Amino acid sequence: GAHDGGAAGAAAEFVDPVSSSQADKSTFGVDADGNGVRDELDDYLKSLFQDPSEHALLTSLAREETRLLLLREDPQSSPSQVREQALRSIAVHHCVVDGLGAERARIALTELQSALVNSQLRFGAWLAAERKLNGSILPSMACDSGLVQP
């Protein structure tokens, strides 16, 4: 079952959907088309969602989450900057749920998170933002469709 192996079992079961970026030593990675999402993650999202509007939803969320990762990594970023970017990510997250429906969104968001923080460096950046957001109370939000772009 899901709890049989504990944390060690969960780690052993993880399969990185974009393992090609494991050798990349940067948080951001390569983004040849300049859309704000590293290329192998972008390709992975295209393989999951061929519908252009669905792909735009996931690409937009990946872009906002990538910006959040980069702020997390930047020691000069303030908790308020991280908070504002987190709010943008949450707004797009709601667009994903609205656009895909709750169950498909849950699966898509799980896939995206696994691919987004697929290296020790990226996971460390994610944890750093959690520390910067620690104690923040974030408001309820709705989809901000102005943030959804291909």
Side-chain angles (χ1 to χ4, degrees):
H3 300 288
D4 294 348
E13 295 173 16
F14 174 73
V15 176
D16 182 2
V18 289
S19 59
S20 61
S21 69
Q22 284 291 331
D24 186 347
K25 300 300 182 200
S26 70
T27 300
F28 187 73
V30 176
D31 178 22
D33 64 2
N35 72 347
V37 178
R38 52 181 216 272
D39 292 341
E40 89 286 347
L41 178 56
D42 205 16
D43 291 343
Y44 179 62
L45 294 175
K46 287 176 187 170
S47 77
L48 293 177
F49 296 92
Q50 290 82 35
D51 177 271
S53 63
E54 292 179 350
H55 182 257
L57 287 169
L58 270 292
T59 298
S60 296
L61 184 56
R63 181 181 307 110
E64 297 303 331
E65 288 289 318
T66 296
R67 289 176 180 159
L68 190 54
L69 281 177
L70 294 172
L71 276 176
R72 290 169 176 166
E73 183 182 50
D74 180 0
Q76 302 301 312
S77 68
S78 68
S80 64
Q81 287 174 304
V82 173
R83 183 181 186 279
E84 289 306 310
Q85 185 57 46
L87 292 174
R88 288 175 60 96
S89 292
I90 291 168
V92 176
H93 178 277
H94 284 286
C95 295
V96 171
V97 174
D98 291 351
L100 299 181
E103 183 57 23
R104 287 184 70 220
R106 183 190 64 75
I107 294 166
L109 294 168
T110 299
E111 292 292 324
L112 175 60
Q113 187 69 21
S114 295
L116 190 67
V117 293
N118 68 333
S119 72
Q120 189 171 8
L121 180 69
R122 292 177 183 127
F123 186 70
W126 180 80
L127 286 174
E130 293 303 311
R131 286 186 208 103
K132 287 183 181 180
L133 285 171
N134 192 19
S136 294
I137 297 173
L138 302 176
S140 295
M141 307 229 9
C143 171
D144 181 349
S145 59
L147 297 173
V148 177
Q149 303 168 18

